[in-house]
Amino acid sequence: MLKRFELNRLGVSELMKSPEMLSIIAEKGHRVQKKVGSGYEFTSLVGRNRVNVRIETKTRKAMLDNKKRNTLLKALRNC
């Protein structure tokens, strides 16, 4: 016999915006930033629905490196 599963949407929402989730996601973001090196900037914030992390190029050298080698994508995949 199958039991019905009911998702606690409020609980999931609180979990996705919690400080614990921010620390988990930020840790991975810092690992990616270490792999890609200088010229990239890491930022994190709690958005409307969840925790967000952004790693973006800040120098022309980093932009060209990422365009030529897909540096950010590869670093994210290998972390």
Side-chain angles (χ1 to χ4, degrees), residues 22-54:
L22 179 61
S23 69
I24 292 168
I25 299 301
E27 180 184 326
K28 182 157 183 153
H30 284 297
R31 284 196 314 259
V32 170
Q33 186 185 22
K34 280 183 180 179
K35 279 193 171 203
V36 295
S38 64
Y40 296 86
E41 183 178 72
F42 169 83
T43 56
S44 63
L45 60 104
V46 178
R48 190 175 66 142
N49 297 320
R50 64 182 65 100
V51 171
N52 298 290
V53 171
R54 178 186 298 183

Side-chain angles (χ1 to χ4, degrees), residues 57-75:
T57 58
K58 283 298 179 184
T59 64
R60 181 168 173 76
K61 182 179 177 184
M63 286 179 200
L64 294 173
D65 177 58
N66 189 53
K67 184 177 180 181
K68 185 176 182 180
R69 296 181 183 87
N70 250 345
T71 308
L72 284 172
L73 185 62
K74 288 178 182 177

Side-chain angles (χ1 to χ4, degrees), residues 11-28:
V12 171
S13 177
E14 288 176 9
L15 176 67
M16 295 299 287
K17 294 187 257 183
S18 70
E20 293 83 6
M21 186 63 73
L22 179 61
S23 69
I24 292 168
I25 299 301
E27 180 184 326
K28 182 157 183 153

